[in-house]
Amino acid sequence: MGIGAGVKDEESVTELPTKSRFRYNSPLVQVALIGLVCFCCPGMFNALSGMGGGGQVDPTAANNANTALYTTFAVFGVLGGGIYNILGPHLTLAAGCSTYVLYAGSFLYYNHHQHQGFSIAAGALLGIGAGLLWAGEGAIMTAYPPPNRKGTYISLFWSIFNMGGVIGGLIPFILNYHRTEAASVNDATYIGFMCFMTAGTLLSFAILPPNRVVRNDGTHCTNVKYSSVSTEATEVLKLFANWKMLLIVPAAWASNFFYSYQFNNVNGLLFNLRTRGLNNVFYWGAQMLGSVGIGYILDFSFQSRRMRGFVGIGVVALVGSAIWGGGLANQLPYSHDHPPKRLDFRDSAFAGPFVLYFSYGLLDAMFQSMVYWVIGALADDSQTLSRYSGFYKGVQSAGAAVAWQVDTHKVPLLSQLVVNWSLTTLSYPLLALLVMLAVKDDNKTGDEIVKEAAVPSSNKDVATT
């Protein structure tokens, strides 16, 4: 099987229905595999970032590395969908995963030499790699599942992926348990992250291309050929004038903008080193709960897909408002000029800030799963969804690049919180409008919807009205 050979090979995959969900070429197995890849690479990256400052006492190097990362990510997030459509999953995902290993290694180097240059360069390369990985992941997660079960498969992916953050949080907690004072993590922590990331790079070769994946009724995930450079360049440019993508921009910008505030100024400022690692176990664990809960609402709460979308957005809006309100109450007592005393998990004052940080993780998963569900409801073919997912990740990364510099320049913490709360709140009515105008609403059974998805889409948005 060639990568990016550009050949449609319908005879290579049986058209007969099969009932086994655990076939290697089933959507369930393939989504689980991309979840494991992200478990090892961005999952471990999240655990490293979630400690605040990349595990360093001074967050300046990590902030500058993350700015470089998300600047290149913004470009290659948009281009990533086109690159995935040209190269296919193996080259795209493996190239993306390998940059995570280099990034973790750059902080191992920084532990000894305190030179930012390597970390910043590694961050820029990781932005390129992350753009490729997440565009491919978005296409797989939104295009491979049956149309009536996309929320469930998104939840499955999100749970596996965030287990990486849970395990990754245990690594610094265990390896730095006796270092309760403010300190940088030890070398073994970074080496542990690098081992997982290397495994993820190798595992990416197990992902099948769309034309080799068959649903239980025998339908293919896509019947289109791999694309060309000229086609993808044209289609990517069209995204910037696509009204559906423009409505997603505020949600995309907001969805990573709050990380610098939560990681550096909540977890990083309020807790000591070992407790930050422990907190990350529960932060990413909360993401698993959040994705499962919102996935159930988006797939099973009502027969009408459009109504499920409205209810899901409403639930996230209510939960989000409550959590950011709690964040405001937590933020008022401290600032950059009046930093708090760092808490240990054994302190009596630990519970309140811990519950807030846990809730931030819950909201992150609910918010991003909701956005991915909306994107997945706009089309059913892999090529279109890879471009949509790439655009989402590109805008998301541009927001994150700005956010990390906002933190580097010591913008008041209360201002950071208000901006984050405002951005997420602005997103909800725009996503609801998108669901109302662009998501196909019918009351057919799941089997009927799946059979309709078997009809070749000719690379069109088959789910728009």
Side-chain angles (χ1 to χ4, degrees):
M1 178 188 66
I3 302 303
V7 179
K8 180 174 72 174
D9 185 11
E10 297 186 30
E11 296 180 358
S12 65
V13 183
T14 179
E15 296 289 346
L16 296 176
T18 175
K19 297 299 182 183
S20 174
R21 295 184 177 181
F22 299 101
R23 294 171 288 110
Y24 179 60
N25 66 338
S26 71
L28 181 66
V29 170
Q30 292 299 308
V31 169
L33 284 173
I34 192 64
L36 288 173
V37 170
C38 291
F39 167 101
C40 292
C41 294
M44 294 297 155
F45 167 83
N46 284 347
L48 179 59
S49 297
M51 296 184 63
Q56 299 293 315
V57 176
D58 183 356
T60 303
N63 285 352
N64 290 333
N66 279 321
T67 299
L69 189 166
Y70 287 107
T71 300
T72 54
F73 196 169
V75 176
F76 280 85
V78 175
L79 299 178
I83 295 171
Y84 173 83
N85 289 338
I86 295 168
L87 299 180
H90 289 170
L91 289 178
T92 306
L93 297 177
C97 289
S98 63
T99 59
Y100 284 85
V101 185
L102 181 66
Y103 181 81
S106 72
F107 280 94
L108 177 63
Y109 172 86
Y110 187 83
N111 247 7
H112 294 274
H113 301 286
Q114 302 294 305
H115 295 156
Q116 294 187 34
F118 184 19
S119 297
I120 294 172
L125 289 174
L126 176 55
I128 297 172
L132 301 180
L133 172 60
W134 281 105
E137 173 276 334
I140 292 167
M141 187 176 67
T142 55
Y144 285 19
N148 65 321
R149 290 293 178 266
K150 291 191 177 185
T152 303
Y153 279 69
I154 290 171
S155 298
L156 171 66
F157 164 81
W158 212 260
S159 296
I160 296 173
F161 156 51
N162 282 299
M163 183 58 72
V166 173
I167 302 299
L170 287 173
I171 292 174
F173 176 66
I174 294 171
L175 295 179
N176 300 276
Y177 183 81
H178 297 293
R179 307 172 75 200
T180 57
E181 298 301 320
S184 300
V185 301
N186 57 21
D187 289 354
T189 303
Y190 294 117
I191 293 171
F193 286 136
M194 293 172 68
C195 290
F196 274 102
M197 292 169 175
T198 301
T201 304
L202 298 176
L203 188 60
S204 67
F205 289 101
I207 304 295
L208 292 177
N211 66 318
R212 296 285 302 278
V213 180
V214 186
R215 300 189 180 104
N216 287 344
D217 67 343
T219 61
H220 295 240
C221 291
T222 184
N223 288 316
V224 296
K225 299 178 182 179
Y226 282 129
S227 191
S228 65
V229 173
S230 59
T231 297
E232 290 306 319
T234 301
E235 293 300 323
V236 166
L237 288 175
K238 288 180 180 178
L239 294 174
F240 292 92
N242 185 323
W243 64 272
K244 290 172 286 187
M245 294 296 98
L246 296 179
L247 287 176
I248 285 176
V249 165
W253 187 276
S255 59
N256 270 189
F257 198 85
F258 48 66
Y259 278 161
S260 60
Y261 171 76
Q262 292 175 1
F263 294 162
N264 283 359
N265 302 318
V266 179
N267 200 31
L269 280 182
L270 291 178
F271 305 98
N272 63 22
L273 180 62
R274 69 181 185 185
T275 305
R276 286 172 2 223
L278 178 65
N279 287 347
N280 276 333
V281 173
F282 288 92
Y283 181 93
W284 302 111
Q287 299 238 356
M288 298 166 65
L289 296 176
S291 64
V292 170
I294 196 63
Y296 180 86
I297 292 172
L298 292 169
D299 272 357
F300 298 106
S301 58
F302 292 92
Q303 187 175 12
S304 164
R305 176 161 66 170
R306 188 177 292 167
M307 180 57 68
R308 297 197 303 269
F310 289 145
V311 172
I313 293 169
V315 168
V316 176
L318 289 174
V319 173
S321 297
I323 291 173
W324 283 115
L328 176 62
N330 177 77
Q331 182 58 72
L332 292 176
Y334 72 94
S335 65
H336 284 306
D337 296 329
H338 299 89
K341 178 184 178 182
R342 294 181 187 271
L343 297 170
D344 187 73
F345 70 92
R346 296 180 297 184
D347 294 339
S348 59
F350 167 74
F354 167 78
V355 170
L356 173 65
Y357 192 65
F358 176 92
S359 300
Y360 279 145
L362 189 79
L363 177 61
D364 180 22
M366 295 178 69
F367 188 87
Q368 293 210 56
S369 296
M370 172 193 66
V371 178
Y372 268 119
W373 182 91
V374 173
I375 292 172
L378 299 177
D380 281 317
D381 66 276
S382 175
Q383 285 196 328
T384 300
L385 288 173
S386 68
R387 298 182 193 120
Y388 285 0
S389 299
F391 182 87
Y392 169 67
K393 296 302 292 187
V395 175
Q396 180 188 72
S397 302
V402 173
W404 288 104
Q405 279 304 296
V406 165
D407 189 62
T408 296
H409 287 83
K410 304 298 182 183
V411 171
L413 301 183
L414 185 59
S415 298
Q416 292 188 40
L417 182 144
V418 170
V419 169
N420 282 312
W421 192 352
S422 300
L423 284 171
T424 54
T425 301
L426 174 64
S427 304
Y428 303 129
L430 297 180
L431 290 173
L433 180 63
L434 182 58
V435 169
M436 182 175 65
L437 297 178
V439 173
K440 183 178 179 181
D441 189 20
D442 57 43
N443 296 317
K444 298 176 182 177
T445 65
D447 290 340
E448 289 173 321
I449 296 172
V450 171
K451 287 178 181 177
E452 285 188 356
V455 179
S457 63
S458 301
N459 207 25
K460 296 185 296 183
D461 288 8
V462 299
T464 59
T465 54

